[in-house]
Amino acid sequence: MARTIIAGNWKMYRTRSEALALVNGILAGAGPVPADRELLVFPAATAIAAVVERCRYSRISVGGQNLHPQREGAFTGEISAAMLIEAGATHVLVGHSERRALFAEDDAFLACKVRAALDAGLEPVFCLGETLAEREAGQTEAVVASQVRLGLGEVSGADLAKLVVAYEPVWAIGTGRTATPDQAETAHRFLRGQLVERWGAAGSGVPLLYGGSVKPGNAAELLSRPEINGVLVGGASLEAASFLGIAAAK
Ligand code: 13P
C-alpha cells in the first residue's frame, strides 16, 4: 500500500526566519492531519538546517530543492548530496519543470542527479509532466513515458523503495488551473503502468504525487483517487493554514 505524502515546495520563497515561522505554524496546527499522512517540506537551501532542527522528533521531514550530481568539485553555486544530508535533509527534488525549463536541465543530467541522490541515501522526488502545447498535441503519454525512461534511466528495481514520483503538468503549475481529478488520475494510471512495465511489482509501490495548483478546496477530491498517493504543493504551501487545509483534507 503506497503512502500518502503531503509535500510543500517553498521554491525561492521564505528566508530562514520566515521558514521557521512557517514551520512553527505547521507544527502547531498539525493535530487534525490524519496520522497516515507524511508531511514533507522543501525550504530554500539556507533554511534547511534550521527547519530540520525545528522539526526534530516531529512528523515533518525536510528535503532540498536541488543537488549537483558530482560528489564535490568546482561547481560554483551548487550543492552536493553530502551537504544536504549533513544539513539534515532526507529528500531532494529532481526534475522540477522550473529546473528543466529555466535552468536547461535535460533528461540525461536529471538521471545523474537521481542516481547521485540514491547513492548518497537521499530519497529523490522525481518530477515530470507535459507542457500545454504537448497536451494539446496529444503527446502527454509520450512525454511522460520518455521522462520516465530517460530521467529514471539509472534506477534499478531495488532503488524504487526510496523513490517518489510527482506528476506536475506544467500548465497547472502556478496558474490556478488544476488538472481535474480525472485528468490527474488518468496520467497517474499511465505513469503507474510505465513503472510496472519497466520494473515489475516494485513499480506498484512508488508513491505518485500530483502537483499543480493544489489548494485546500481541491485536495480532498484529488487525494480520494486511488492512484493519487499525495500532493506536491507550491503556492498554497507558503502559509501554514492552507498547507494544513490540504494535509487534513478528506
Ligand atoms: P503551485 O502549487 O503553485 O501550482 O506549484 C506546484 C509546484 O510546482 C510544486 O512543485
Side-chain angles (χ1 to χ4, degrees):
M1 181 62 196
R3 303 167 277 160
T4 299
I5 299 172
I6 311 294
N9 173 9
W10 296 353
K11 307 193 180 182
M12 200 174 75
Y13 294 98
R14 303 296 179 253
T15 64
R16 180 179 171 281
S17 58
E18 291 165 349
L20 282 172
L22 175 53
V23 84
N24 279 337
I26 297 171
L27 286 166
V33 176
D36 61 353
R37 294 196 177 170
E38 293 184 25
L39 301 179
L40 173 58
V41 296
F42 293 92
T46 49
I48 291 173
V51 171
V52 165
E53 189 57 38
R54 184 65 190 85
C55 292
R56 216 175 280 284
Y57 309 118
S58 82
R59 62 191 295 185
I60 302 182
S61 305
V62 183
Q65 296 179 14
N66 188 29
L67 86 164
H68 192 278
Q70 296 292 320
R71 208 171 52 79
E72 61 182 3
F75 300 104
T76 302
E78 292 295 308
I79 189 164
S80 72
M83 291 168 187
L84 290 172
I85 287 172
E86 201 169 293
T90 51
H91 294 70
V92 65
L93 293 175
V94 177
H96 192 282
S97 67
E98 287 148 18
R99 299 296 316 177
R100 291 177 189 262
L102 304 174
F103 300 93
E105 296 191 357
D106 64 14
D107 290 307
F109 189 54
L110 297 175
C112 295
K113 288 187 173 207
V114 170
R115 191 63 257 162
L118 289 166
D119 288 344
L122 285 169
E123 194 162 326
V125 177
F126 181 69
C127 307
L128 48 74
E130 81 287 1
T131 63
L132 185 58
E134 289 163 344
R135 173 165 282 261
E136 287 176 343
Q139 294 169 350
T140 298
E141 293 192 349
V143 168
V144 168
S146 139
Q147 288 171 329
V148 167
R149 184 166 43 82
L150 300 172
L152 298 179
E154 303 295 324
V155 167
S156 73
D159 294 321
L160 295 192
K162 286 281 177 199
L163 178 78
V164 176
V165 176
Y167 170 64
E168 299 203 303
V170 179
W171 48 271
I173 295 177
T175 59
R177 188 175 165 190
T178 324
T180 65
D182 285 343
Q183 284 174 321
E185 197 180 11
T186 301
H188 281 220
R189 258 206 228 105
F190 178 76
L191 191 45
R192 178 70 70 205
Q194 293 293 299
L195 298 179
V196 170
E197 192 178 302
R198 167 94 174 269
W199 290 282
S204 59
V206 176
L208 302 184
L209 314 187
Y210 168 78
S213 298
V214 177
K215 304 272 182 294
N218 59 27
E221 199 182 347
L222 288 163
L223 289 168
S224 74
R225 302 297 176 108
E227 280 294 5
I228 300 181
N229 312 123
V231 286
L232 179 54
V233 187
S237 72
L238 294 173
E239 300 296 337
S242 49
F243 185 63
L244 288 166
I246 291 165
K250 278 250 181 216

